Amino acid sequence: MAGFLDAPLDRAQLKRGLIVSVQAPEGSPMRHPDVIAAMAEASLRNGALGVRLESPEHIGAVRERCPDALIIGLWKRTWAGSSVYITPRWHEIQAVWAAGADVVALDATDRVRPDGERLEDLVRRARSELGAPLMADVDTLANGLRAAALGCDWVGTTLFGYTEATAASSPPAWDLIQPLREQLPLTTPLICEGGIASACAAADAIQRGADAVVVGTAITGVDLQVAAYRQRMDVQTG
């Protein structure tokens, strides 16, 4: 099973689009396929261009409930000896695609992957064996340009501030968007993801050169949002 799109959306189709990341942490009561699917449907009904989902189970649940949804899918898994966790191996790419994703998101940094697999091989196999469009989650300009050169369809700033190379920086990736847009192929969509905490910030990302924006915690992150409110209230009133 694959998604409903015949081809990945181009820049014109993504223009000023909002993609909602509908995820919940391990142990949360929100992390249930029915809950994820309901949040995804609510997002789509209110103007989201698509949703970004984690795990084959959640992708399948949303595909069943929202058969025409644009789904960017990934699978977070951790392995000893590698800090890559977003769709790290071929096995995860296959599973995400089979569950019904339209686009498979994967870590496209230059870090060592589990089992010695290489990004270039994964991109080649995803394209030739599955015909799966790919969203490259990157952290730096060099990795974004490399991902596009290897054949990834979309490039996203997802991992800016979350890798060893960018640990001193914090998202949003304001300093990364403009150089990526200037140096990526004109046909390659650029997605701003990470640290977008308000509608104003989302609009700012578009003005800086992103074709679309992914927002997660600020919209669907009930666990993290409530904890943040509680912590701030305790600090200011304690």
Side-chain angles (χ1 to χ4, degrees), residues 118-131:
R118 302 188 307 164
L119 178 63
E120 51 265 46
D121 295 330
L122 295 176
V123 173
R124 175 183 54 78
R125 293 187 70 183
R127 294 175 66 87
S128 64
E129 298 181 28
L130 303 178

PDB file of all heavy atoms in Angstrom, residues 118-131:
ATOM      1  N   ARG A 118      23.875   3.377   4.258  1.00  0.00           N
ATOM      2  CA  ARG A 118      24.286   4.683   3.780  1.00  0.00           C
ATOM      3  C   ARG A 118      23.107   5.430   3.163  1.00  0.00           C
ATOM      4  O   ARG A 118      22.255   4.823   2.506  1.00  0.00           O
ATOM      5  CB  ARG A 118      25.404   4.550   2.743  1.00  0.00           C
ATOM      6  CG  ARG A 118      26.643   3.825   3.243  1.00  0.00           C
ATOM      7  CD  ARG A 118      27.770   3.915   2.220  1.00  0.00           C
ATOM      8  NE  ARG A 118      27.336   3.467   0.900  1.00  0.00           N
ATOM      9  CZ  ARG A 118      28.001   3.720  -0.238  1.00  0.00           C
ATOM     10  NH1 ARG A 118      29.115   4.434  -0.185  1.00  0.00           N
ATOM     11  NH2 ARG A 118      27.541   3.261  -1.392  1.00  0.00           N
ATOM     12  N   LEU A 119      23.078   6.730   3.377  1.00  0.00           N
ATOM     13  CA  LEU A 119      21.976   7.531   2.877  1.00  0.00           C
ATOM     14  C   LEU A 119      21.825   7.384   1.375  1.00  0.00           C
ATOM     15  O   LEU A 119      20.701   7.226   0.865  1.00  0.00           O
ATOM     16  CB  LEU A 119      22.193   9.006   3.236  1.00  0.00           C
ATOM     17  CG  LEU A 119      21.119   9.976   2.716  1.00  0.00           C
ATOM     18  CD1 LEU A 119      19.757   9.664   3.316  1.00  0.00           C
ATOM     19  CD2 LEU A 119      21.528  11.414   3.010  1.00  0.00           C
ATOM     20  N   GLU A 120      22.914   7.439   0.639  1.00  0.00           N
ATOM     21  CA  GLU A 120      22.812   7.357  -0.816  1.00  0.00           C
ATOM     22  C   GLU A 120      22.176   6.053  -1.285  1.00  0.00           C
ATOM     23  O   GLU A 120      21.415   6.029  -2.263  1.00  0.00           O
ATOM     24  CB  GLU A 120      24.189   7.546  -1.465  1.00  0.00           C
ATOM     25  CG  GLU A 120      25.282   6.672  -0.911  1.00  0.00           C
ATOM     26  CD  GLU A 120      26.105   7.364   0.159  1.00  0.00           C
ATOM     27  OE1 GLU A 120      25.500   8.001   1.061  1.00  0.00           O
ATOM     28  OE2 GLU A 120      27.342   7.265   0.093  1.00  0.00           O
ATOM     29  N   ASP A 121      22.466   4.960  -0.582  1.00  0.00           N
ATOM     30  CA  ASP A 121      21.874   3.677  -0.945  1.00  0.00           C
ATOM     31  C   ASP A 121      20.378   3.650  -0.619  1.00  0.00           C
ATOM     32  O   ASP A 121      19.568   3.105  -1.382  1.00  0.00           O
ATOM     33  CB  ASP A 121      22.586   2.538  -0.230  1.00  0.00           C
ATOM     34  CG  ASP A 121      24.034   2.394  -0.659  1.00  0.00           C
ATOM     35  OD1 ASP A 121      24.353   2.723  -1.813  1.00  0.00           O
ATOM     36  OD2 ASP A 121      24.857   1.962   0.176  1.00  0.00           O
ATOM     37  N   LEU A 122      20.015   4.246   0.519  1.00  0.00           N
ATOM     38  CA  LEU A 122      18.607   4.270   0.907  1.00  0.00           C
ATOM     39  C   LEU A 122      17.778   5.100  -0.066  1.00  0.00           C
ATOM     40  O   LEU A 122      16.667   4.714  -0.444  1.00  0.00           O
ATOM     41  CB  LEU A 122      18.469   4.829   2.326  1.00  0.00           C
ATOM     42  CG  LEU A 122      19.099   3.994   3.443  1.00  0.00           C
ATOM     43  CD1 LEU A 122      18.966   4.709   4.778  1.00  0.00           C
ATOM     44  CD2 LEU A 122      18.462   2.614   3.514  1.00  0.00           C
ATOM     45  N   VAL A 123      18.317   6.236  -0.475  1.00  0.00           N
ATOM     46  CA  VAL A 123      17.604   7.081  -1.432  1.00  0.00           C
ATOM     47  C   VAL A 123      17.433   6.343  -2.759  1.00  0.00           C
ATOM     48  O   VAL A 123      16.348   6.330  -3.343  1.00  0.00           O
ATOM     49  CB  VAL A 123      18.348   8.412  -1.640  1.00  0.00           C
ATOM     50  CG1 VAL A 123      17.694   9.218  -2.768  1.00  0.00           C
ATOM     51  CG2 VAL A 123      18.375   9.226  -0.355  1.00  0.00           C
ATOM     52  N   ARG A 124      18.492   5.714  -3.221  1.00  0.00           N
ATOM     53  CA  ARG A 124      18.429   4.996  -4.491  1.00  0.00           C
ATOM     54  C   ARG A 124      17.392   3.877  -4.436  1.00  0.00           C
ATOM     55  O   ARG A 124      16.569   3.725  -5.354  1.00  0.00           O
ATOM     56  CB  ARG A 124      19.810   4.415  -4.821  1.00  0.00           C
ATOM     57  CG  ARG A 124      19.829   3.528  -6.071  1.00  0.00           C
ATOM     58  CD  ARG A 124      21.206   2.941  -6.298  1.00  0.00           C
ATOM     59  NE  ARG A 124      21.721   2.240  -5.130  1.00  0.00           N
ATOM     60  CZ  ARG A 124      21.356   1.012  -4.760  1.00  0.00           C
ATOM     61  NH1 ARG A 124      20.451   0.339  -5.467  1.00  0.00           N
ATOM     62  NH2 ARG A 124      21.878   0.451  -3.682  1.00  0.00           N
ATOM     63  N   ARG A 125      17.390   3.101  -3.360  1.00  0.00           N
ATOM     64  CA  ARG A 125      16.453   1.985  -3.256  1.00  0.00           C
ATOM     65  C   ARG A 125      15.015   2.481  -3.103  1.00  0.00           C
ATOM     66  O   ARG A 125      14.086   1.890  -3.670  1.00  0.00           O
ATOM     67  CB  ARG A 125      16.830   1.094  -2.065  1.00  0.00           C
ATOM     68  CG  ARG A 125      18.144   0.355  -2.226  1.00  0.00           C
ATOM     69  CD  ARG A 125      18.361  -0.638  -1.100  1.00  0.00           C
ATOM     70  NE  ARG A 125      17.433  -1.755  -1.194  1.00  0.00           N
ATOM     71  CZ  ARG A 125      17.359  -2.749  -0.300  1.00  0.00           C
ATOM     72  NH1 ARG A 125      18.172  -2.732   0.766  1.00  0.00           N
ATOM     73  NH2 ARG A 125      16.498  -3.735  -0.460  1.00  0.00           N
ATOM     74  N   ALA A 126      14.829   3.541  -2.326  1.00  0.00           N
ATOM     75  CA  ALA A 126      13.477   4.074  -2.145  1.00  0.00           C
ATOM     76  C   ALA A 126      12.886   4.519  -3.477  1.00  0.00           C
ATOM     77  O   ALA A 126      11.701   4.305  -3.757  1.00  0.00           O
ATOM     78  CB  ALA A 126      13.497   5.232  -1.153  1.00  0.00           C
ATOM     79  N   ARG A 127      13.720   5.105  -4.317  1.00  0.00           N
ATOM     80  CA  ARG A 127      13.241   5.594  -5.601  1.00  0.00           C
ATOM     81  C   ARG A 127      13.046   4.454  -6.599  1.00  0.00           C
ATOM     82  O   ARG A 127      12.033   4.394  -7.296  1.00  0.00           O
ATOM     83  CB  ARG A 127      14.215   6.632  -6.153  1.00  0.00           C
ATOM     84  CG  ARG A 127      14.275   7.905  -5.308  1.00  0.00           C
ATOM     85  CD  ARG A 127      15.339   8.863  -5.811  1.00  0.00           C
ATOM     86  NE  ARG A 127      14.999   9.373  -7.124  1.00  0.00           N
ATOM     87  CZ  ARG A 127      14.238  10.447  -7.353  1.00  0.00           C
ATOM     88  NH1 ARG A 127      13.725  11.106  -6.324  1.00  0.00           N
ATOM     89  NH2 ARG A 127      13.990  10.865  -8.567  1.00  0.00           N
ATOM     90  N   SER A 128      14.021   3.542  -6.661  1.00  0.00           N
ATOM     91  CA  SER A 128      13.973   2.503  -7.694  1.00  0.00           C
ATOM     92  C   SER A 128      13.076   1.331  -7.330  1.00  0.00           C
ATOM     93  O   SER A 128      12.381   0.775  -8.186  1.00  0.00           O
ATOM     94  CB  SER A 128      15.389   1.996  -7.986  1.00  0.00           C
ATOM     95  OG  SER A 128      15.952   1.362  -6.842  1.00  0.00           O
ATOM     96  N   GLU A 129      13.050   0.944  -6.059  1.00  0.00           N
ATOM     97  CA  GLU A 129      12.285  -0.231  -5.660  1.00  0.00           C
ATOM     98  C   GLU A 129      10.860   0.090  -5.199  1.00  0.00           C
ATOM     99  O   GLU A 129       9.961  -0.735  -5.338  1.00  0.00           O
ATOM    100  CB  GLU A 129      13.033  -0.988  -4.558  1.00  0.00           C
ATOM    101  CG  GLU A 129      14.394  -1.528  -4.990  1.00  0.00           C
ATOM    102  CD  GLU A 129      15.109  -2.301  -3.897  1.00  0.00           C
ATOM    103  OE1 GLU A 129      14.409  -2.884  -3.028  1.00  0.00           O
ATOM    104  OE2 GLU A 129      16.345  -2.320  -3.891  1.00  0.00           O
ATOM    105  N   LEU A 130      10.668   1.270  -4.624  1.00  0.00           N
ATOM    106  CA  LEU A 130       9.354   1.625  -4.095  1.00  0.00           C
ATOM    107  C   LEU A 130       8.677   2.740  -4.884  1.00  0.00           C
ATOM    108  O   LEU A 130       7.456   2.857  -4.864  1.00  0.00           O
ATOM    109  CB  LEU A 130       9.470   2.063  -2.631  1.00  0.00           C
ATOM    110  CG  LEU A 130      10.090   1.077  -1.645  1.00  0.00           C
ATOM    111  CD1 LEU A 130      10.155   1.702  -0.255  1.00  0.00           C
ATOM    112  CD2 LEU A 130       9.321  -0.232  -1.606  1.00  0.00           C
ATOM    113  N   GLY A 131       9.482   3.578  -5.513  1.00  0.00           N
ATOM    114  CA  GLY A 131       8.918   4.776  -6.132  1.00  0.00           C
ATOM    115  C   GLY A 131       8.440   5.760  -5.093  1.00  0.00           C
ATOM    116  O   GLY A 131       7.516   6.546  -5.322  1.00  0.00           O
TER     117      GLY A 131
END
